[in-house]
Amino acid sequence: MKQIIGGGSPPASAEVQFLTVGEESAGQRLDNFLIRMLKGVPKTHVYRIIRSGEVRVNKGRSSADARVENGDIVRIPPVRMSEAAALKAEKPAPAREFPLLFEDEHLVAIDKPAGVAVHGGSGVSFGVIEQLRQARPAAKFLELVHRLDRETSGILLVAKKRSALTKLQDQFRERETGKTYLALVAGAWPANKKVIDQPLHKYLQADGERRVRVVARDDPDGMRSITLVKVAQALPLPPAGEGRGEGASLLEVTIKTGRTHQIRVHLASAGHPILGDDKYGDFELNKVLARQGLRRMFLHAWRLQFDHPATGERIALQAPLPPELQKFTDHARIPPAPVRPDRL
């Protein structure tokens, strides 16, 4: 069986397969190429058939880190997908398109809704990327450029070519993108606190759930993390948090590093957790706000700037606040101060 590979994955097979590497896969590591093409086959099995020499590239043995090139012929021995993957293949992700902010032949930018994971895994059977692939069966290549937390809404980039993927990911890694979020936090944020430069450490709880915490600067496990904060608006909580009275602050938050849960942990560590955050937030306040209409975390990927991977043109995207967040801030808006008679 011979297939030209540029997009969709072939099924796991009980026969030997000969895959011809397409332009979209050129330059990819052999292990990553096989993992992408043999969805549902355990990674351990993929590495075993490479080590054993059962995988051949142009009739010769190859290592996992070797790069495949356009036109290479890759021989794959009979493989079987896992039981879970077979079940998943029987029930693929439902096709879904998302609100478009930008699209051309190189990339697509969507406005991801809150509550939708960007990809399947960790108890989630599918996410944005799987739904988008189902909605666009003719697409040769669709890969996530970066991630957003499931609870976070806003701008998400998907590459439509491998060359675009690598160039965009390089920009994210080298901090050449401008990523600004809108976050509503508890309390009055100090206007003079504009930079949070605190290392973060990622760890697993006893139940296996991922968490992040601020650590000391000399902690060997700490990763330097920088967050810039600007107050956009001061708001009362509607009403003022059942006796709390401290109100809330709508912040423009720009991240210079892209650590897991960085914004959420940095803001919470400063004593101003994001409203609605069920991991690092004020849980009692969240219950109050849920009754007032805020039933999700108030964190939105608002603006993103990057250089177009093909033209080099600087692209500036903006995703408006989702209706549920806009409605909440409108309801909480501070009324104008009354005009004093002595100022007339």
Side-chain angles (χ1 to χ4, degrees):
M1 181 168 66
K2 183 176 180 180
Q3 301 185 38
I4 304 297
I5 299 303
S9 306
S13 172
E15 302 175 355
V16 171
Q17 301 178 70
F18 292 91
L19 309 182
T20 301
V21 177
E23 182 182 351
E24 296 303 328
S25 298
Q28 192 172 28
R29 283 172 51 124
L30 176 61
D31 53 356
N32 292 333
F33 171 78
L34 292 175
I35 289 167
R36 181 166 68 90
M37 302 322 301
L38 299 175
K39 293 191 188 304
V41 177
K43 289 184 181 180
T44 53
H45 186 64
V46 170
Y47 284 103
R48 186 186 67 76
I49 60 177
I50 294 174
R51 286 195 305 269
S52 68
E54 295 175 84
V55 172
R56 297 291 178 114
V57 178
N58 300 327
K59 300 183 179 180
R61 294 179 66 125
S62 187
S63 60
D65 60 355
R67 304 280 174 176
V68 295
E69 300 300 336
N70 187 24
D72 283 351
I73 306 296
V74 181
R75 176 197 183 275
I76 302 177
V79 289
R80 291 182 181 178
M81 65 172 61
S82 66
E83 221 174 281
L87 184 62
K88 185 176 177 181
E90 291 175 9
K91 297 181 178 180
R96 181 179 179 182
E97 287 282 359
F98 297 88
L100 285 176
L101 299 171
F102 176 90
E103 183 171 12
D104 63 10
E105 66 270 30
H106 301 279
L107 66 113
V108 56
I110 65 170
D111 189 354
K112 185 189 86 69
V116 181
V118 295
H119 59 75
S122 301
V124 180
S125 57
F126 59 84
V128 168
I129 194 64
E130 290 86 3
Q131 290 185 288
L132 200 57
R133 286 169 180 158
Q134 286 294 323
R136 301 181 176 206
K140 292 184 176 182
F141 185 92
L142 289 172
E143 293 289 347
L144 292 166
V145 174
H146 60 117
R147 307 286 192 269
L148 287 178
D149 288 347
R150 183 177 182 179
E151 303 89 345
T152 303
S153 56
I155 305 170
L156 181 69
L157 296 185
V158 175
K160 296 169 71 174
K161 294 186 176 184
R162 179 157 300 282
S163 57
L165 177 67
T166 55
K167 289 179 181 179
L168 288 168
Q169 287 183 333
D170 285 346
Q171 289 184 54
F172 276 85
R173 186 166 44 251
E174 298 300 322
R175 307 177 191 176
E176 295 171 351
T177 58
K179 295 182 288 184
T180 301
Y181 294 70
L182 290 177
L184 189 64
V185 301
W189 185 272
N192 62 351
K193 189 173 182 59
K194 298 179 179 180
V195 180
I196 303 174
D197 185 353
Q198 294 178 312
L200 297 176
H201 169 56
K202 184 165 57 177
Y203 65 99
L204 293 178
Q205 297 188 132
D207 60 1
E209 191 167 356
R210 181 177 56 181
R211 283 289 193 277
V212 179
R213 61 171 174 254
V214 169
V215 294
R217 292 186 183 279
D218 59 354
D219 191 308
D221 294 322
M223 299 286 288
R224 190 180 184 190
S225 307
I226 303 171
T227 302
L228 309 182
V229 183
K230 176 185 176 183
V231 178
Q233 189 178 7
L235 300 170
L237 296 180
E242 291 191 357
R244 290 171 175 271
E246 77 272 24
S249 302
L250 183 64
L251 307 178
E252 294 179 16
V253 184
T254 301
I255 54 174
K256 293 298 182 182
T257 52
R259 310 300 181 201
T260 301
H261 298 169
Q262 176 177 325
I263 295 175
R264 301 165 69 175
V265 176
H266 268 174
L267 298 183
S269 70
H272 301 274
I274 296 175
L275 301 185
D277 188 342
D278 64 359
K279 284 186 171 67
Y280 306 100
D282 183 326
F283 307 130
E284 291 304 314
L285 179 57
N286 288 347
K287 291 178 184 177
V288 173
L289 297 178
R291 294 195 292 271
Q292 296 166 353
L294 185 65
R295 297 181 177 87
R296 53 157 291 193
M297 179 173 64
F298 201 121
L299 183 61
H300 178 68
W302 176 43
R303 292 191 307 210
L304 178 64
Q305 297 181 35
F306 58 92
D307 294 335
H308 191 280
T311 67
E313 176 189 1
R314 192 67 171 173
I315 304 293
L317 303 177
Q318 184 166 314
L321 273 177
E324 70 274 13
L325 298 188
Q326 188 63 59
K327 181 179 178 181
F328 186 82
T329 55
D330 289 344
H331 182 57
R333 196 172 301 282
I334 299 174
V339 178
R340 290 169 48 184
D342 60 350
R343 298 244 177 127
L344 294 176

